[in-house]
Amino acid sequence: MALDATWPPDFIHVVFGSAWTIIDLFAGLILGPILGSLSIPARIGFTVKFMPKIVVLTPAVVTATLVAGS
């Protein structure tokens, strides 16, 4: 690592890529079935609170992954 100057962006690329994958799998495999079992008003309430957070988080993680991988 002392001689290889490309390891920090490679590390960031792998970590943020893993985070991106974990967020995607969590949303699909964990939240999907839970939301399917909720009533429509409860789904709307969850989505209203969840979407603003995920709309900020996901593009930030994706952008960091792509920039570090360049």
Side-chain angles (χ1 to χ4, degrees):
M1 288 187 335
L3 299 175
D4 185 13
T6 64
W7 77 267
D10 289 344
F11 179 77
I12 291 170
H13 176 74
V14 170
V15 168
F16 277 82
S18 299
W20 182 3
T21 303
I22 290 167
I23 292 167
D24 184 39
L25 290 174
F26 177 76
L29 298 175
I30 306 297
L31 291 181
I34 292 172
L35 285 174
S37 67
L38 295 177
S39 66
I40 299 298
R43 287 184 207 177
I44 292 170
F46 175 81
T47 304
V48 165
K49 290 188 176 194
F50 181 70
M51 285 307 291
K53 294 172 182 69
I54 205 72
V55 165
V56 171
L57 177 67
T58 304
V61 172
V62 170
T63 302
T65 302
L66 296 175
V67 169
S70 297

